[in-house]
Amino acid sequence: MAEIADIDHFPAATALQDHGFVVLPELLSDEELTAAVRHADSLLHGVGWSDNDFDGRRTRRVYSLLSRLGALEPLLTHPVVRRLVTARLGEVHQFGMLFLSAVDPGQGSQPLHFDAGVYPLPGEVEAETNVIWALDDFTADNGATMIAPGSHRWPSGRRPQQHELVPVVMPAGSVVVYSGRLWHAAGENRARTTRRALICEHVLPWLRPADNHTLATGVEQLLDLAPELRRLAGLAPASKYLGVVGGQDPEQWLLQATRSR
Ligand SMILES: O=C(O)CCC(=O)C(=O)O
């Protein structure tokens, strides 16, 4: 089983660097977890199974969450997770895909992959650091994410063998933070209950994120977000010359444009 780190006595950032993942157990209070699960359920309500083998034909997914974060917001801004992601990607980075994933009973294993595989970059570039929040207990039977520890350092083309995979077993309210180069997949759900998770990708600021947050969220709702989230949604320029609007910081530009309406 995947190692569970005690953040107080274990350098989580070093574990993430060395093993390609770190599990932080029970970061949420009971109240935060209950509220997050209730909100996740309201978003998942009425959503059908995905229509493709990768997302899972017995899996329900909700994408583009920024305009309806509700009680999921504290998970996206959790200080320990933010610190770890920042340690990997630097102060300025942005969200990749953000989604809820409810793996229902009968769902088989997801195809193995590493998330940063969408970017044609050399292996030594740490382009992406991702986060899976367990909204249910993750068990070896109910579809806990399967990971191949250390695979973030494997040469390109090496794929995990079955015996190299371990389930990320963790109680609800815990989180696994992992490198975008770590091989993994949602596990098979052989249990009778659903495994719900919030999955948050983070990528370097000069990459195109998997989701178009500006269009998906809408300008008015971007402005309603907390400044930290707004900038994670892509409003922070990567540099003085990359990601600007007419030479200006997009957030400042947007604030001025809406003020002068
Ligand atoms: O749900 C999970 O455990 C992992 C999902 C995943 O890796 C993905 O869809 O890219």
Side-chain angles (χ1 to χ4, degrees):
M1 260 176 235
E3 189 176 2
I4 291 196
D6 173 356
I7 188 88
D8 291 322
H9 303 107
F10 193 91
T14 309
L16 176 55
Q17 181 167 311
D18 291 349
H19 308 302
F21 75 97
V22 64
V23 178
L24 306 169
E26 299 181 285
L27 282 195
L28 297 182
S29 67
D30 289 348
E31 295 72 29
E32 284 171 324
L33 176 62
T34 304
V37 169
R38 191 176 304 131
H39 188 60
D41 274 346
S42 72
L43 295 175
L44 286 162
H45 182 74
V47 171
W49 285 324
S50 301
D51 63 358
N52 65 81
D53 291 335
F54 186 83
D55 286 7
R57 294 179 192 275
R58 291 287 179 278
T59 295
R60 290 168 288 135
R61 288 187 166 204
V62 178
Y63 291 97
S64 303
L65 297 172
L66 283 175
S67 57
R68 44 197 173 151
L69 277 179
L72 298 173
E73 179 168 337
L75 284 63
L76 295 193
T77 55
H78 195 287
V80 175
V81 173
R82 296 286 316 119
R83 206 161 70 225
L84 269 176
V85 174
T86 302
R88 298 297 290 163
L89 298 182
E91 283 296 330
V92 182
H93 50 267
Q94 57 184 332
F95 287 133
M97 213 170 259
L98 297 176
F99 60 100
L100 287 168
S101 171
V103 178
D104 283 326
Q107 171 65 59
S109 309
Q110 185 184 38
L112 286 162
H113 61 282
F114 58 95
D115 299 329
V118 294
Y119 297 115
L121 288 169
E124 56 276 16
V125 179
E126 180 67 13
E128 189 161 344
T129 301
N130 297 336
V131 169
I132 299 180
W133 282 97
L135 299 179
D136 292 294
D137 292 344
F138 272 32
T139 71
D141 282 338
N142 76 351
T145 312
M146 304 293 295
I147 58 167
S151 57
H152 63 310
R153 295 227 168 111
W154 289 356
S156 93
R158 176 164 173 209
R159 295 180 61 89
Q161 307 290 308
Q162 203 55 38
H163 70 269
E164 294 175 296
L165 296 170
V166 291
V168 181
V169 171
M170 55 182 174
S174 307
V175 70
V176 57
V177 182
Y178 62 100
S179 159
R181 296 200 63 83
L182 192 81
W183 281 89
H184 68 282
E188 178 181 357
N189 189 345
R190 297 180 294 267
R192 289 167 186 260
T193 52
T194 297
R195 186 229 75 176
R196 293 162 297 185
L198 172 68
I199 302 184
C200 320
E201 297 180 346
H202 307 81
V203 300
L204 291 173
W206 43 268
L207 290 169
R208 182 172 189 153
D211 221 343
N212 187 320
H213 299 294
T214 312
L215 287 180
T217 310
V219 168
E220 298 298 335
Q221 276 156 318
L222 274 181
L223 284 171
D224 285 345
L225 290 173
E228 182 185 14
L229 288 174
R230 202 190 284 164
R231 295 182 77 75
L232 284 165
L235 289 193
S239 76
K240 199 163 174 257
Y241 302 108
L242 194 58
V244 294
V245 185
Q248 241 189 307
D249 178 309
E251 190 181 24
Q252 296 312 316
W253 181 89
L254 195 56
L255 289 168
Q256 275 168 19
T258 46
R259 243 183 254 131
S260 61
R261 264 192 204 162

